[in-house]
Amino acid sequence: KSGGILLLDECDLASHNIMCLQPVLEGKGVFIKKIGEWVTPAPGFTVFATANTKGKGSDDGRFIGTGVMNEAFLDRFPITMEQPYATPNTEMKILDKAGCEKEFADHLVKWASVIRKSFYEGGVDEIISTRRLVDIVRAFGIFNSKEKAIALCLARFDDDTKQAFMDLYGKVDAEMHDLESGDESPTVSDPNNKCPF
């Protein structure tokens, strides 16, 4: 009625009942029995849907619970956009907003980029999302240990993957082990720094 936006988040997790939205997706009105009213979309009304599998379901178990969606329903979305991971510059800004020191953020972004490249080339079965990078920054804020923060945020992966990702991070940030073993004194250049080490 107000010409707003309807977001169907994780649409490929919906049941077949989502088909009731077909007239809405076509820009037609819909009768809502509960209130006994015919509702016609106002100008500007737009429907967006997000789906990890583009409505095709997931056989590999990565997106458990998703299903193959009805082609007639999917066909009512005239445009499909793929959303890649954020650029390194954007991820740096996201981590900065999460309170991370620039050098640590730079190491995390480079590390995640290498893992993603390996994932897309079939070298590894897991991926590091921007959300996981933010989780690492938050864990670091609690434990003040890069190694512990990363290890805790990788704990859901199998042992080989965890170790491979930890080893890779150690190559990206060679100072991590030195700083955390006490070989060097950590320094903080900004006393107001939210993510000191």
Side-chain angles (χ1 to χ4, degrees):
K1 282 177 157 181
S2 63
I5 292 173
L6 171 62
L7 171 62
L8 306 174
D9 194 21
E10 304 287 358
C11 192
D12 49 359
L13 284 168
S15 75
H16 67 279
N17 293 330
I18 201 163
M19 295 294 289
C20 70
L21 291 176
Q22 280 193 201
V24 175
L25 294 172
E26 293 171 352
K28 301 173 184 171
V30 63
F31 182 74
I32 302 176
K33 289 181 186 178
K34 217 171 199 178
I35 60 172
E37 188 178 340
W38 182 266
V39 178
T40 304
F45 174 71
T46 308
V47 181
F48 288 93
T50 66
N52 286 308
T53 70
K54 294 190 234 179
K56 302 299 181 190
S58 173
D59 290 332
D60 63 6
R62 293 185 58 76
F63 299 105
I64 199 82
T66 58
V68 176
M69 298 186 74
N70 184 290
E71 190 62 32
F73 179 80
L74 294 174
D75 199 41
R76 278 154 173 89
F77 288 93
I79 297 171
T80 300
M81 296 182 292
E82 289 196 53
Q83 179 61 54
Y85 281 100
T87 64
N89 284 342
T90 301
E91 275 195 326
M92 288 289 289
K93 289 177 185 174
I94 292 168
L95 295 184
D96 177 61
K97 191 172 182 178
C100 189
E101 184 270 337
K102 185 181 183 312
E103 188 177 11
F104 187 24
D106 185 55
H107 292 319
L108 287 171
V109 168
K110 285 178 182 170
W111 173 68
S113 295
V114 171
I115 291 171
R116 290 172 194 158
K117 186 174 188 293
S118 295
F119 176 83
Y120 293 128
E121 292 173 353
V124 293
D125 294 329
E126 302 292 351
I127 201 161
I128 299 296
S129 66
T130 304
R131 181 181 292 116
R132 190 159 305 279
L133 295 180
V134 171
D135 291 341
I136 290 169
V137 170
R138 289 179 178 154
F140 179 75
I142 296 167
F143 299 104
N144 200 30
S145 163
K146 292 180 187 179
E147 192 164 11
K148 185 167 188 173
I150 294 168
L152 288 171
C153 292
L154 296 180
R156 63 176 283 270
F157 299 138
D158 65 73
D159 290 340
D160 290 340
T161 301
K162 283 189 292 189
Q163 191 58 54
F165 285 4
M166 288 299 296
D167 292 347
L168 177 61
Y169 185 83
K171 290 176 183 170
V172 172
D173 184 358
E175 294 180 359
M176 178 178 70
H177 296 295
D178 292 339
L179 286 171
E180 296 188 0
S181 65
D183 294 345
E184 292 181 21
S185 297
T187 59
V188 179
S189 58
D190 178 2
N192 296 318
N193 192 331
K194 296 177 185 171
C195 187
F197 69 98

